[in-house]
Amino acid sequence: MTAIHLMPRAGLACLALALFFTNAYAAATDYRFELVEPEIAEGPEAIVAVRLIDERTKEPVSGAIIFATRLDMAPEGMEAMTTAVEAMPSTEPGVYRFRTNLGMEGGWRFKLAAELQGEAETVQGELLLKAIP
């Protein structure tokens, strides 16, 4: 084979390596959680929806495995007041929904931890929401 025939393959190989190493160095800080709605109606069937965003592309990230959640009233000085959080099916890409009992109006803190395919670090988030009547 001549060098002219190898050049396109070598170029593709270099491009593939560049893309591989670009993705390999992503860190947990390259992602963030955000609330879809910062105010949620209080009650036993409240739905909290969060979006996971890749900060490099500004695109929603699907397929995260959220393995830890905590919802408490720390913003109101009542960190010990917690409530259960139940994962629900997603209705749109990159949005993760949870059912909970917001039994009291006021400020709530929602902490999450997630694993992403291909990422070595855990992605964590801490969001503040408000339960309204």
mmCIF file of all heavy atoms in Angstrom, residues 38-71:
data_model
loop_
_atom_site.group_PDB
_atom_site.id
_atom_site.type_symbol
_atom_site.label_atom_id
_atom_site.label_comp_id
_atom_site.label_asym_id
_atom_site.label_seq_id
_atom_site.Cartn_x
_atom_site.Cartn_y
_atom_site.Cartn_z
ATOM 1 N N PRO A 38 -38.633 25.526 40.364
ATOM 2 C CA PRO A 38 -38.120 25.778 41.718
ATOM 3 C C PRO A 38 -39.206 25.850 42.793
ATOM 4 O O PRO A 38 -38.902 25.730 43.975
ATOM 5 C CB PRO A 38 -37.396 27.108 41.588
ATOM 6 C CG PRO A 38 -38.056 27.781 40.425
ATOM 7 C CD PRO A 38 -38.517 26.695 39.500
ATOM 8 N N GLU A 39 -40.460 26.033 42.384
ATOM 9 C CA GLU A 39 -41.577 26.055 43.328
ATOM 10 C C GLU A 39 -42.500 24.894 43.013
ATOM 11 O O GLU A 39 -42.901 24.710 41.862
ATOM 12 C CB GLU A 39 -42.329 27.378 43.252
ATOM 13 C CG GLU A 39 -41.501 28.566 43.735
ATOM 14 C CD GLU A 39 -42.292 29.859 43.764
ATOM 15 O OE1 GLU A 39 -43.336 29.952 43.088
ATOM 16 O OE2 GLU A 39 -41.851 30.786 44.457
ATOM 17 N N ILE A 40 -42.834 24.131 44.067
ATOM 18 C CA ILE A 40 -43.624 22.913 43.910
ATOM 19 C C ILE A 40 -44.746 22.933 44.933
ATOM 20 O O ILE A 40 -44.524 23.288 46.099
ATOM 21 C CB ILE A 40 -42.739 21.672 44.096
ATOM 22 C CG1 ILE A 40 -41.623 21.711 43.039
ATOM 23 C CG2 ILE A 40 -43.535 20.389 44.005
ATOM 24 C CD1 ILE A 40 -40.487 20.785 43.302
ATOM 25 N N ALA A 41 -45.934 22.555 44.513
ATOM 26 C CA ALA A 41 -47.075 22.523 45.427
ATOM 27 C C ALA A 41 -46.828 21.496 46.529
ATOM 28 O O ALA A 41 -46.442 20.356 46.259
ATOM 29 C CB ALA A 41 -48.352 22.187 44.676
ATOM 30 N N GLU A 42 -47.039 21.930 47.773
ATOM 31 C CA GLU A 42 -46.855 21.005 48.899
ATOM 32 C C GLU A 42 -47.926 19.926 48.852
ATOM 33 O O GLU A 42 -48.970 20.096 48.222
ATOM 34 C CB GLU A 42 -46.913 21.762 50.226
ATOM 35 C CG GLU A 42 -48.309 22.262 50.587
ATOM 36 C CD GLU A 42 -48.379 22.854 51.973
ATOM 37 O OE1 GLU A 42 -47.900 22.227 52.928
ATOM 38 O OE2 GLU A 42 -48.929 23.964 52.091
ATOM 39 N N GLY A 43 -47.649 18.803 49.505
ATOM 40 C CA GLY A 43 -48.617 17.723 49.583
ATOM 41 C C GLY A 43 -47.955 16.363 49.490
ATOM 42 O O GLY A 43 -46.762 16.251 49.203
ATOM 43 N N PRO A 44 -48.732 15.316 49.710
ATOM 44 C CA PRO A 44 -48.187 13.954 49.760
ATOM 45 C C PRO A 44 -47.832 13.362 48.398
ATOM 46 O O PRO A 44 -47.195 12.323 48.339
ATOM 47 C CB PRO A 44 -49.307 13.150 50.413
ATOM 48 C CG PRO A 44 -50.557 13.906 50.084
ATOM 49 C CD PRO A 44 -50.155 15.358 50.054
ATOM 50 N N GLU A 45 -48.221 13.996 47.307
ATOM 51 C CA GLU A 45 -47.925 13.483 45.961
ATOM 52 C C GLU A 45 -47.139 14.511 45.145
ATOM 53 O O GLU A 45 -47.303 14.616 43.929
ATOM 54 C CB GLU A 45 -49.229 13.122 45.238
ATOM 55 C CG GLU A 45 -50.004 12.000 45.897
ATOM 56 C CD GLU A 45 -49.303 10.651 45.782
ATOM 57 O OE1 GLU A 45 -48.737 10.353 44.710
ATOM 58 O OE2 GLU A 45 -49.314 9.904 46.776
ATOM 59 N N ALA A 46 -46.273 15.258 45.806
ATOM 60 C CA ALA A 46 -45.486 16.282 45.114
ATOM 61 C C ALA A 46 -44.492 15.616 44.158
ATOM 62 O O ALA A 46 -43.936 14.567 44.461
ATOM 63 C CB ALA A 46 -44.737 17.141 46.130
ATOM 64 N N ILE A 47 -44.299 16.238 43.010
ATOM 65 C CA ILE A 47 -43.359 15.740 42.012
ATOM 66 C C ILE A 47 -42.230 16.762 41.865
ATOM 67 O O ILE A 47 -42.469 17.922 41.552
ATOM 68 C CB ILE A 47 -44.026 15.521 40.638
ATOM 69 C CG1 ILE A 47 -45.206 14.560 40.749
ATOM 70 C CG2 ILE A 47 -42.993 15.036 39.615
ATOM 71 C CD1 ILE A 47 -44.862 13.153 41.176
ATOM 72 N N VAL A 48 -41.006 16.282 42.105
ATOM 73 C CA VAL A 48 -39.812 17.107 41.920
ATOM 74 C C VAL A 48 -39.126 16.590 40.665
ATOM 75 O O VAL A 48 -38.828 15.403 40.552
ATOM 76 C CB VAL A 48 -38.863 17.003 43.132
ATOM 77 C CG1 VAL A 48 -37.599 17.816 42.902
ATOM 78 C CG2 VAL A 48 -39.570 17.447 44.411
ATOM 79 N N ALA A 49 -38.889 17.479 39.708
ATOM 80 C CA ALA A 49 -38.214 17.104 38.457
ATOM 81 C C ALA A 49 -36.901 17.869 38.371
ATOM 82 O O ALA A 49 -36.862 19.081 38.607
ATOM 83 C CB ALA A 49 -39.098 17.408 37.254
ATOM 84 N N VAL A 50 -35.828 17.140 38.058
ATOM 85 C CA VAL A 50 -34.519 17.759 37.891
ATOM 86 C C VAL A 50 -33.966 17.391 36.525
ATOM 87 O O VAL A 50 -34.272 16.339 35.970
ATOM 88 C CB VAL A 50 -33.529 17.340 39.002
ATOM 89 C CG1 VAL A 50 -34.018 17.781 40.358
ATOM 90 C CG2 VAL A 50 -33.273 15.853 38.989
ATOM 91 N N ARG A 51 -33.180 18.291 35.997
ATOM 92 C CA ARG A 51 -32.542 18.077 34.700
ATOM 93 C C ARG A 51 -31.037 17.952 34.956
ATOM 94 O O ARG A 51 -30.479 18.729 35.731
ATOM 95 C CB ARG A 51 -32.829 19.265 33.784
ATOM 96 C CG ARG A 51 -32.335 19.122 32.373
ATOM 97 C CD ARG A 51 -32.784 20.298 31.498
ATOM 98 N NE ARG A 51 -34.216 20.229 31.239
ATOM 99 C CZ ARG A 51 -35.120 21.104 31.701
ATOM 100 N NH1 ARG A 51 -34.758 22.124 32.431
ATOM 101 N NH2 ARG A 51 -36.392 20.964 31.412
ATOM 102 N N LEU A 52 -30.399 16.989 34.301
ATOM 103 C CA LEU A 52 -28.955 16.843 34.374
ATOM 104 C C LEU A 52 -28.369 17.402 33.082
ATOM 105 O O LEU A 52 -28.750 16.973 31.988
ATOM 106 C CB LEU A 52 -28.571 15.369 34.552
ATOM 107 C CG LEU A 52 -27.082 15.055 34.637
ATOM 108 C CD1 LEU A 52 -26.407 15.825 35.766
ATOM 109 C CD2 LEU A 52 -26.877 13.557 34.803
ATOM 110 N N ILE A 53 -27.464 18.369 33.209
ATOM 111 C CA ILE A 53 -26.897 19.083 32.066
ATOM 112 C C ILE A 53 -25.402 18.815 31.964
ATOM 113 O O ILE A 53 -24.690 18.868 32.965
ATOM 114 C CB ILE A 53 -27.130 20.614 32.211
ATOM 115 C CG1 ILE A 53 -28.608 20.946 32.312
ATOM 116 C CG2 ILE A 53 -26.455 21.394 31.088
ATOM 117 C CD1 ILE A 53 -29.393 20.700 31.058
ATOM 118 N N ASP A 54 -24.935 18.559 30.744
ATOM 119 C CA ASP A 54 -23.507 18.483 30.461
ATOM 120 C C ASP A 54 -23.053 19.915 30.202
ATOM 121 O O ASP A 54 -23.479 20.538 29.225
ATOM 122 C CB ASP A 54 -23.262 17.596 29.236
ATOM 123 C CG ASP A 54 -21.790 17.403 28.921
ATOM 124 O OD1 ASP A 54 -20.981 18.307 29.211
ATOM 125 O OD2 ASP A 54 -21.456 16.354 28.361
ATOM 126 N N GLU A 55 -22.219 20.457 31.077
ATOM 127 C CA GLU A 55 -21.798 21.853 30.973
ATOM 128 C C GLU A 55 -20.980 22.129 29.709
ATOM 129 O O GLU A 55 -20.957 23.253 29.231
ATOM 130 C CB GLU A 55 -20.969 22.254 32.199
ATOM 131 C CG GLU A 55 -21.780 22.356 33.458
ATOM 132 C CD GLU A 55 -22.622 23.607 33.526
ATOM 133 O OE1 GLU A 55 -22.919 24.219 32.481
ATOM 134 O OE2 GLU A 55 -23.003 23.982 34.630
ATOM 135 N N ARG A 56 -20.325 21.109 29.170
ATOM 136 C CA ARG A 56 -19.499 21.318 27.980
ATOM 137 C C ARG A 56 -20.352 21.527 26.748
ATOM 138 O O ARG A 56 -20.006 22.332 25.883
ATOM 139 C CB ARG A 56 -18.563 20.119 27.779
ATOM 140 C CG ARG A 56 -17.577 19.930 28.941
ATOM 141 C CD ARG A 56 -16.967 18.560 28.927
ATOM 142 N NE ARG A 56 -18.057 17.589 29.089
ATOM 143 C CZ ARG A 56 -17.928 16.287 28.893
ATOM 144 N NH1 ARG A 56 -16.785 15.790 28.528
ATOM 145 N NH2 ARG A 56 -18.951 15.482 29.071
ATOM 146 N N THR A 57 -21.472 20.806 26.653
ATOM 147 C CA THR A 57 -22.317 20.895 25.460
ATOM 148 C C THR A 57 -23.617 21.649 25.717
ATOM 149 O O THR A 57 -24.336 21.968 24.787
ATOM 150 C CB THR A 57 -22.681 19.486 24.963
ATOM 151 O OG1 THR A 57 -23.456 18.820 25.975
ATOM 152 C CG2 THR A 57 -21.442 18.678 24.627
ATOM 153 N N LYS A 58 -23.940 21.874 26.984
ATOM 154 C CA LYS A 58 -25.205 22.509 27.405
ATOM 155 C C LYS A 58 -26.418 21.646 27.051
ATOM 156 O O LYS A 58 -27.539 22.141 26.965
ATOM 157 C CB LYS A 58 -25.372 23.913 26.829
ATOM 158 C CG LYS A 58 -24.220 24.842 27.127
ATOM 159 C CD LYS A 58 -24.011 25.054 28.591
ATOM 160 C CE LYS A 58 -22.898 26.057 28.849
ATOM 161 N NZ LYS A 58 -22.165 25.803 30.052
ATOM 162 N N GLU A 59 -26.213 20.349 26.855
ATOM 163 C CA GLU A 59 -27.276 19.412 26.487
ATOM 164 C C GLU A 59 -27.691 18.575 27.693
ATOM 165 O O GLU A 59 -26.871 18.274 28.563
ATOM 166 C CB GLU A 59 -26.799 18.476 25.372
ATOM 167 C CG GLU A 59 -26.514 19.173 24.058
ATOM 168 C CD GLU A 59 -27.764 19.715 23.402
ATOM 169 O OE1 GLU A 59 -28.819 19.052 23.459
ATOM 170 O OE2 GLU A 59 -27.696 20.817 22.821
ATOM 171 N N PRO A 60 -28.970 18.160 27.763
ATOM 172 C CA PRO A 60 -29.422 17.259 28.829
ATOM 173 C C PRO A 60 -28.743 15.893 28.695
ATOM 174 O O PRO A 60 -28.412 15.458 27.595
ATOM 175 C CB PRO A 60 -30.923 17.123 28.596
ATOM 176 C CG PRO A 60 -31.292 18.135 27.583
ATOM 177 C CD PRO A 60 -30.050 18.559 26.868
ATOM 178 N N VAL A 61 -28.536 15.242 29.835
ATOM 179 C CA VAL A 61 -27.867 13.943 29.873
ATOM 180 C C VAL A 61 -28.865 12.886 30.327
ATOM 181 O O VAL A 61 -29.404 12.967 31.433
ATOM 182 C CB VAL A 61 -26.663 13.972 30.836
ATOM 183 C CG1 VAL A 61 -25.997 12.600 30.918
ATOM 184 C CG2 VAL A 61 -25.669 15.039 30.415
ATOM 185 N N SER A 62 -29.089 11.895 29.490
ATOM 186 C CA SER A 62 -29.967 10.781 29.824
ATOM 187 C C SER A 62 -29.132 9.598 30.295
ATOM 188 O O SER A 62 -27.931 9.541 30.056
ATOM 189 C CB SER A 62 -30.787 10.362 28.602
ATOM 190 O OG SER A 62 -31.638 11.401 28.208
ATOM 191 N N GLY A 63 -29.794 8.663 30.937
ATOM 192 C CA GLY A 63 -29.157 7.409 31.312
ATOM 193 C C GLY A 63 -28.364 7.443 32.591
ATOM 194 O O GLY A 63 -27.657 6.481 32.906
ATOM 195 N N ALA A 64 -28.455 8.505 33.365
ATOM 196 C CA ALA A 64 -27.756 8.552 34.652
ATOM 197 C C ALA A 64 -28.428 7.597 35.627
ATOM 198 O O ALA A 64 -29.645 7.411 35.589
ATOM 199 C CB ALA A 64 -27.763 9.974 35.216
ATOM 200 N N ILE A 65 -27.645 7.000 36.487
ATOM 201 C CA ILE A 65 -28.177 6.146 37.546
ATOM 202 C C ILE A 65 -28.090 6.945 38.838
ATOM 203 O O ILE A 65 -27.008 7.142 39.391
ATOM 204 C CB ILE A 65 -27.392 4.833 37.652
ATOM 205 C CG1 ILE A 65 -27.499 4.061 36.342
ATOM 206 C CG2 ILE A 65 -27.890 4.005 38.832
ATOM 207 C CD1 ILE A 65 -26.576 2.884 36.237
ATOM 208 N N ILE A 66 -29.224 7.436 39.278
ATOM 209 C CA ILE A 66 -29.267 8.215 40.510
ATOM 210 C C ILE A 66 -29.416 7.226 41.652
ATOM 211 O O ILE A 66 -30.423 6.548 41.776
ATOM 212 C CB ILE A 66 -30.400 9.255 40.471
ATOM 213 C CG1 ILE A 66 -30.130 10.210 39.305
ATOM 214 C CG2 ILE A 66 -30.498 9.987 41.805
ATOM 215 C CD1 ILE A 66 -31.166 11.249 39.056
ATOM 216 N N PHE A 67 -28.375 7.136 42.477
ATOM 217 C CA PHE A 67 -28.343 6.112 43.512
ATOM 218 C C PHE A 67 -28.490 6.655 44.922
ATOM 219 O O PHE A 67 -28.641 5.885 45.864
ATOM 220 C CB PHE A 67 -27.066 5.262 43.399
ATOM 221 C CG PHE A 67 -25.803 6.033 43.653
ATOM 222 C CD1 PHE A 67 -25.287 6.146 44.930
ATOM 223 C CD2 PHE A 67 -25.116 6.612 42.600
ATOM 224 C CE1 PHE A 67 -24.121 6.841 45.164
ATOM 225 C CE2 PHE A 67 -23.944 7.309 42.819
ATOM 226 C CZ PHE A 67 -23.443 7.428 44.107
ATOM 227 N N ALA A 68 -28.461 7.967 45.087
ATOM 228 C CA ALA A 68 -28.638 8.543 46.418
ATOM 229 C C ALA A 68 -29.439 9.830 46.313
ATOM 230 O O ALA A 68 -29.171 10.667 45.455
ATOM 231 C CB ALA A 68 -27.288 8.815 47.063
ATOM 232 N N THR A 69 -30.431 9.948 47.159
ATOM 233 C CA THR A 69 -31.235 11.177 47.238
ATOM 234 C C THR A 69 -31.501 11.492 48.706
ATOM 235 O O THR A 69 -31.581 10.589 49.539
ATOM 236 C CB THR A 69 -32.588 11.037 46.512
ATOM 237 O OG1 THR A 69 -33.294 9.927 47.063
ATOM 238 C CG2 THR A 69 -32.408 10.840 45.014
ATOM 239 N N ARG A 70 -31.617 12.751 48.999
ATOM 240 C CA ARG A 70 -32.013 13.199 50.336
ATOM 241 C C ARG A 70 -32.762 14.512 50.162
ATOM 242 O O ARG A 70 -32.287 15.432 49.499
ATOM 243 C CB ARG A 70 -30.802 13.404 51.235
ATOM 244 C CG ARG A 70 -31.177 13.957 52.614
ATOM 245 C CD ARG A 70 -29.941 14.212 53.463
ATOM 246 N NE ARG A 70 -30.250 14.977 54.640
ATOM 247 C CZ ARG A 70 -30.567 14.464 55.825
ATOM 248 N NH1 ARG A 70 -30.612 13.157 55.975
ATOM 249 N NH2 ARG A 70 -30.829 15.254 56.858
ATOM 250 N N LEU A 71 -33.934 14.585 50.766
ATOM 251 C CA LEU A 71 -34.752 15.789 50.721
ATOM 252 C C LEU A 71 -35.029 16.198 52.155
ATOM 253 O O LEU A 71 -35.614 15.419 52.922
ATOM 254 C CB LEU A 71 -36.052 15.510 49.953
ATOM 255 C CG LEU A 71 -36.955 16.694 49.630
ATOM 256 C CD1 LEU A 71 -36.228 17.785 48.841
ATOM 257 C CD2 LEU A 71 -38.166 16.233 48.846
#
